[in-house]
């Protein structure tokens, strides 16, 4: 996940373009923050009809007290949806505090 948290605008534009096929793009071996119950997880991105979905392997928890609530919810549920790509990008970038 660190790869996405610290991704450049150019890398995000490439990701956004790849999602135009409306398929789920899964990235394996994404490194999670130290306070997570697992070191790595699979993360998936998908452009749905009117939203963007972000998926993560289930069964992961985070013991970090300053972790954003949406991050903990995402780990618990395994999915979070955003109204647009920019919101998803900003969510991922907001997780820098965990690294």
């Amino acid at each position: 996940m660190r790869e996405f948290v610290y991704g450049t605008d150019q890398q995000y534009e490439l990701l956004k373009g790849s999602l135009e096929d409306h398929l789920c793009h899964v990235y394996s071996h994404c490194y999670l923050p130290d306070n997570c119950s697992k070191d790595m997880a699979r993360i998936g991105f998908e452009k749905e009809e009117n939203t963007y979905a972000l998926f993560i392997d289930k069964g992961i928890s985070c013991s970090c007290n300053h972790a954003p609530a949406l991050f903990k919810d995402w780990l618990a549920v395994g999915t979070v949806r955003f109204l647009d790509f920019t919101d998803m990008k900003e969510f991922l970038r907001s997780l820098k505090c965990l690294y």
Side-chain angles (χ1 to χ4, degrees):
M1 184 167 60
R2 178 184 301 240
E3 304 89 324
F4 299 104
V5 170
Y6 287 98
T8 65
D9 286 338
Q10 183 180 14
Q11 289 169 318
Y12 272 106
E13 284 304 311
L14 290 171
L15 174 63
K16 184 178 181 181
S18 72
L19 299 177
E20 289 300 317
D21 62 8
H22 296 272
L23 298 174
C24 185
H25 294 255
V26 178
Y27 297 85
S28 300
H29 303 91
C30 293
Y31 290 95
L32 297 174
D34 289 337
N35 293 318
C36 289
S37 60
K38 293 185 180 180
D39 294 336
M40 290 190 292
R42 292 174 301 155
I43 296 176
F45 297 83
E46 185 176 0
K47 181 179 180 183
E48 297 174 336
E49 207 168 300
N50 295 314
T51 60
Y52 286 86
L54 185 57
F55 305 98
I56 193 164
D57 289 330
K58 288 188 176 185
I60 301 170
S61 60
C62 181
S63 62
C64 182
N65 290 333
H66 65 276
L70 184 56
F71 176 68
K72 289 186 174 186
D73 290 345
W74 179 42
L75 293 179
V77 176
T79 306
V80 65
R81 287 182 170 72
F82 299 91
L83 294 177
D84 61 35
F85 187 84
T86 301
D87 288 344
M88 183 173 65
K89 178 175 76 172
E90 292 305 315
F91 164 70
L92 288 167
R93 287 184 168 170
S94 76
L95 302 178
K96 287 180 183 178
C97 65
L98 300 176
Y99 287 96

